[in-house]
Amino acid sequence: VADVPTSPLERRALEHWRGQGWLRLDGFTDGATCDEMHRAVVDLVRTHGVVAVDSQGASVPDPANPVLIVPESNLLGGEGRPEELVSKVFRLHRRAPFDAFVADPRVTDVVAALLGTDDIDCFVSQFIFKNPGAWGQPWHQDSLYFSFDEPTPVVALWLAISEATERNGCLHVLPGSHREPVHEHVPDRRAGANLGYVEIVDHDMSAAVPVCMSPGDVLFFGSEMMHRSSDNESDVPRAALVFHFAPAGSVDRTGSPINDWMPVRRAVP
Ligand SMILES: O=C(O)CCC(=O)C(=O)O
């Protein structure tokens, strides 16, 4: 079982996780893997387009294994290739090459240590394009979106596919906020805000820190941690891939079309 740290490095990493609410591992993934996943998602968007949307604001091109393709609200009606107008693509983790990434022991070893179990499912995947002109996602806790009946620990893996800088919309995190209960979130009322964006307005965020990252760097964080991303004010995209993991057997009655529970590791295979 991976929950007993053996080296000073692992001990320091887990202390940071417990104290601050996140764990950063630079150079976690090689550039070729990032490029392969980027190409795969661009192919999906070019094949299916970002125009036909359902009531959730997402297109559902393939009923057998639907990916959800969500347009970038702030770029609606603009000119550009499909990958320049898209915001997020969900439900990637059953497809190659994403399926191999989420089940890779380098990923699941860390997730097992953070969740304290070797029985792990991946239940959310999303590629975020964050093109020039896209608004950031305001302060929130992912737990709000994961309103399961039972308290369920959830670990996010945020992988930088491009450089993430303060100008192109990197993440910002609030140290220690993983100890907070789920706060009230109010709708993000900006005209260019994406579907489903909500915001915490009842908490002091002045101690927040930006997390600038390079392709292949990874940030793990728990679902209670308060975080946001800033607007992309640059002329280059800020791409990232995000996965969420939880213990196998978690009970999800949310009916969310985004969630798709898939085993990635079992103590007894
Ligand atoms: O990467 C971003 O722009 C926002 C990601 C985020 O906040 C999330 O996945 O919960």
Side-chain angles (χ1 to χ4, degrees):
V1 186
D3 61 351
V4 182
T6 49
S7 76
L9 181 67
E10 287 167 338
R11 267 199 298 278
R12 271 207 302 279
L14 280 183
E15 274 165 27
H16 190 275
W17 169 263
R18 290 187 189 120
Q20 305 291 301
W22 75 89
L23 172 63
R24 176 179 178 151
L25 298 176
D26 287 349
F28 186 82
T29 306
D30 58 82
T33 304
C34 292
D35 291 346
E36 187 189 8
M37 294 198 283
H38 190 193
R39 271 198 309 277
V41 79
V42 167
D43 280 352
L44 276 169
V45 174
R46 286 188 184 171
T47 303
H48 299 298
V50 286
V51 182
V53 295
D54 66 12
S55 58
Q56 310 264 351
S59 63
V60 184
D62 173 4
N65 181 14
V67 290
L68 298 178
I69 300 177
V70 181
E72 183 65 59
S73 298
N74 204 32
L75 303 175
L76 271 183
E79 295 279 314
R81 290 176 296 181
E83 65 270 24
E84 291 165 340
L85 302 174
V86 66
S87 167
K88 299 184 178 182
V89 179
F90 292 96
R91 296 181 67 115
L92 295 164
H93 52 285
R94 288 186 193 272
R95 296 172 180 266
F98 311 97
D99 55 350
F101 182 81
V102 289
D104 185 325
R106 292 193 60 243
V107 168
T108 60
D109 281 355
V110 179
V111 175
L114 300 181
L115 285 176
T117 175
D118 274 319
D119 291 304
I120 304 165
D121 286 2
C122 174
F123 71 102
V124 172
S125 48
Q126 57 172 312
F127 193 99
I128 309 180
F129 281 85
K130 197 74 175 295
N131 283 306
W135 292 114
Q137 186 160 355
W139 283 108
H140 66 282
Q141 292 164 295
D142 290 340
S143 312
L144 182 85
Y145 298 96
F146 307 146
S147 50
F148 305 133
D149 295 355
E150 299 291 325
T152 304
V154 174
V155 167
L157 180 167
W158 194 102
L159 167 67
I161 298 291
S162 69
E163 292 290 336
T165 67
E166 289 194 64
R167 260 191 42 80
N168 75 0
C170 68
L171 282 183
H172 296 238
V173 296
L174 185 67
S177 59
H178 60 302
R179 287 187 281 269
E180 290 289 319
V182 180
H183 281 237
E184 184 190 357
H185 290 61
V186 302
D188 181 346
R189 300 213 183 275
R190 294 173 300 173
N194 277 325
L195 192 88
Y197 278 13
V198 289
E199 181 174 16
I200 298 170
V201 291
D202 67 352
H203 197 268
D204 177 12
M205 303 296 183
S206 55
V209 291
V211 189
C212 296
M213 296 167 77
S214 295
D217 296 348
V218 156
L219 191 76
F220 291 93
F221 57 91
S223 60
E224 272 84 25
M225 197 194 61
M226 295 179 181
H227 61 288
R228 72 163 179 130
S229 67
S230 42
D231 303 340
N232 187 347
E233 294 169 342
S234 78
D235 53 9
V236 292
R238 190 241 60 192
L241 192 46
V242 190
F243 300 99
H244 291 271
F245 301 90
S250 300
V251 179
D252 176 0
R253 294 201 189 87
T254 61
S256 168
I258 286 170
N259 300 357
D260 180 13
W261 292 78
M262 182 182 95
V264 291
R265 178 163 172 149
R266 290 293 181 264
V268 181

